[in-house]
Amino acid sequence: MIQAIIFDLDGVLLSTDELHYAAWKSVADELGIPFDRQVNNRLRGVSRMASLEIILEHGGVVLSPEEKEAVATRKNDRYRSSLMTLTPDVVTPEVRNTLAALKQRGLKMAIGSSSKNTKLILERTDLKRYFDAVSDGTNITRSKPDPEVFLKGAAFLGLSPSVCAVVEDAVAGIDAANAGGFLSIGIGDAAGYARADKKIASLSELLTIL
Ligand code: BG6
Ligand code: MG
């Protein structure tokens, strides 16, 4: 019996893909690394530093730890400025109505996101009020596919993973949910992933499958 749902943020409740893409593209251009949407897709659900490692490896560029820090900071500064353009309107009525209906049913709800910008995004989009707990990139040391972010989310809710579902759009996120003993629900990219326990085409389907 599912008592709580832990939602990934980017790609599940809203799309920040284009903003990440533009910020990574600008730093990749400066480094002379070819960067396209295919590479960007590989960054889904992956931490900022791990994303940079993927981009550097793709471009065959080697940087010192200090240089990596500087590039990651530059990317994040640009990304954060673009987050300032977010408004509550970027969250679709379907997403908002689904969250409200699940809450009404008495389900506990949490965020489980790798992003260290989660709280800013929740504030800008007025999503915070739906959630009982937020587990994000600021409270973990290991990135998805490690289950840490979801295990912390369940712990913040005071529940065991066996009674929590995780909704994810990233393959790494489904692997993390499975590794942590959660019911994994794939949406978007992850709806085509064989290891997802359940697959949904849109968020409102949660109301029928749970
Ligand atoms: C995830 C995104 O939510 O957060 C990844 O899917 C991103 O693409 C990761 O790299 C880390 O985000 P941030 O905001 O901490 O740089
Ligand atoms: Mg995601």
Side-chain angles (χ1 to χ4, degrees):
M1 177 69 183
I2 292 300
Q3 296 176 27
I5 310 177
I6 304 179
F7 294 87
D8 172 52
L9 180 60
D10 295 325
V12 171
L13 300 181
L14 79 169
S15 174
T16 48
D17 272 24
E18 280 303 308
L19 306 180
H20 276 297
Y21 177 74
W24 279 127
K25 173 106 179 89
S26 72
V27 298
D29 285 351
E30 286 162 7
L31 291 165
I33 296 176
F35 187 76
D36 56 22
R37 277 163 216 282
Q38 244 177 321
V39 185
N40 194 55
N41 265 346
R42 290 171 55 200
L43 313 182
R44 212 182 284 278
V46 174
S47 75
R48 194 180 311 156
M49 252 321 156
S51 298
L52 178 57
E53 297 289 358
I54 291 171
I55 293 167
L56 293 175
E57 198 207 294
H58 172 72
V61 171
V62 177
L63 296 181
S64 69
E66 295 73 25
E67 288 168 328
K68 284 182 196 168
E69 267 312 320
V71 173
T73 301
R74 203 152 72 233
K75 183 268 174 177
N76 193 49
D77 289 346
R78 289 172 192 172
Y79 177 59
R80 279 181 77 89
S81 326
S82 68
L83 288 179
M84 292 307 173
T85 65
L86 290 183
T87 61
D89 295 349
V90 301
V91 180
T92 65
E94 183 199 350
V95 167
R96 246 176 234 288
N97 292 339
T98 303
L99 292 174
L102 292 168
K103 203 171 167 61
Q104 182 105 36
R105 285 190 190 177
L107 282 156
K108 291 274 173 222
M109 302 206 287
I111 293 286
S113 168
S114 309
S115 174
K116 292 184 175 166
N117 293 301
T118 295
K119 290 177 183 90
L120 175 64
I121 296 170
L122 293 177
E123 269 159 33
R124 296 285 321 168
T125 55
D126 190 28
L127 275 174
K128 220 171 149 200
R129 58 204 169 94
Y130 299 101
F131 299 98
D132 304 289
V134 175
S135 174
D136 65 18
T138 64
N139 61 250
I140 54 168
T141 55
R142 293 178 304 279
S143 190
K144 299 170 190 175
D146 189 284
E148 185 181 12
V149 74
F150 298 133
L151 292 174
K152 290 260 166 72
F156 293 160
L157 293 173
L159 292 171
S160 122
S162 60
V163 295
C164 301
V166 164
V167 187
E168 257 294 349
D169 72 312
V171 163
I174 294 292
D175 287 341
N178 291 341
F182 297 87
L183 176 79
S184 60
I185 303 176
I187 190 169
D189 248 25
Y193 186 40
R195 290 202 173 141
D197 295 322
K198 289 183 186 289
K199 294 158 187 148
I200 54 175
S202 67
L203 207 73
S204 58
E205 280 180 44
L206 287 176
L207 298 169
T208 48
I209 67 164
L210 290 178

